[in-house]
């Protein structure tokens, strides 16, 4: 009899675990499950990731105010790097979901904002991407070549400037 109770208890625990799993929980709440291959974060991990992003944004803003950038990134996600550069350069950048690379950039001396943009373009190129200027925003694209680091903002061409 004890054995049957233990088996029943084990099955109930397994069902409870499966029911609280993201796919079952999503189905229970009529929400789509997380995409295959994604990792769900614990609340502590999510809070740490949010704090890391806030720190990254604050660093980019401080560097932008000073006009000098110092890169010391080791094994950083390329998407996070683009997020940092977007904030630093005040550019809207659309990043496709297929970017999955880790980068390392070490700079013993500070760089100007123009040099920092060139570093971003070179880094994207190393991983087979380019930055396409769409006017008020840019798109990270597979392949291609990025424009020069001194992309002008505003009106340009004959009759301007």
């Amino acid at each position: 009899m004890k054995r049957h109770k233990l088996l029943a208890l084990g099955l109930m625990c397994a069902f409870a675990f499966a029911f609280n799993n993201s796919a079952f929980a999503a189905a229970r709440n009529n929400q789509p499950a997380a995409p295959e291959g994604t990792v769900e974060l614990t609340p502590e991990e999510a809070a740490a990731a949010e704090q890391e992003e806030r720190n990254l944004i604050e660093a980019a803003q401080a560097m932008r105010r000073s006009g000098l950038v110092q890169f010391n990134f080791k094994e950083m996600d390329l998407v996070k790097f683009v997020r940092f550069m977007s904030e630093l350069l005040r550019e809207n950048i659309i990043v496709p979901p297929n970017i999955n690379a880790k980068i390392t950039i070490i700079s013993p001396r500070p760089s100007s904002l123009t040099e920092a943009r060139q570093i971003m373009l070179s880094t994207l190129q190393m991983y087979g991407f380019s930055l396409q200027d769409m006017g008020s925003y840019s798109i990270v694209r597979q392949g291609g070549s990025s424009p020069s680091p001194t992309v002008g903002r505003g009106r340009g061409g004959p009759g301007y400037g």
Side-chain angles (χ1 to χ4, degrees):
M1 185 69 168
K2 281 186 176 181
R3 189 175 196 153
H4 292 293
K5 286 183 181 179
L6 286 175
L7 181 61
L9 181 61
L11 287 173
M12 288 181 0
C13 288
F15 178 74
F17 173 78
F19 193 72
N20 287 322
N21 186 332
S22 64
F24 288 102
R28 186 177 65 234
N29 296 325
N30 291 329
Q31 296 176 353
E36 183 89 16
T38 60
V39 177
E40 290 194 29
L41 301 176
T42 65
E44 295 81 18
E45 291 170 329
E50 287 177 27
Q51 184 60 48
E52 181 182 351
E53 177 151 347
R54 278 194 297 272
N55 293 344
L56 193 67
I57 291 168
E58 288 172 8
Q61 291 169 343
M63 289 181 199
R64 182 179 63 239
R65 284 190 298 272
S66 74
L68 295 174
V69 183
Q70 184 121 18
F71 296 108
N72 286 305
F73 300 135
K74 184 177 180 186
E75 294 293 312
M76 179 184 228
D77 288 329
L78 185 57
V79 173
K80 285 183 183 178
F81 174 68
V82 171
R83 172 68 176 107
F84 171 83
M85 294 302 297
S86 173
E87 188 66 39
L88 177 74
L89 301 172
R90 300 198 67 124
E91 287 187 38
N92 295 324
I93 302 174
I94 297 173
V95 181
N98 64 330
I99 290 185
N100 187 17
K102 299 276 187 184
I103 64 159
T104 297
I105 302 174
I106 301 166
S107 62
R109 65 168 185 79
S111 303
S112 69
L113 293 177
T114 301
E115 291 170 327
R117 189 169 200 287
Q118 183 58 47
I119 290 169
M120 176 182 68
L121 297 177
S122 296
T123 302
L124 288 171
Q125 186 178 16
M126 281 177 49
Y127 289 94
F129 297 99
S130 61
L131 193 64
Q132 183 178 5
D133 185 7
M134 304 300 290
S136 63
Y137 63 95
S138 297
I139 300 175
V140 175
R141 299 261 189 216
Q142 186 77 38
S145 63
S146 297
S148 70
T150 56
V151 174
R153 294 284 183 213
R155 297 179 185 218
Y160 293 100

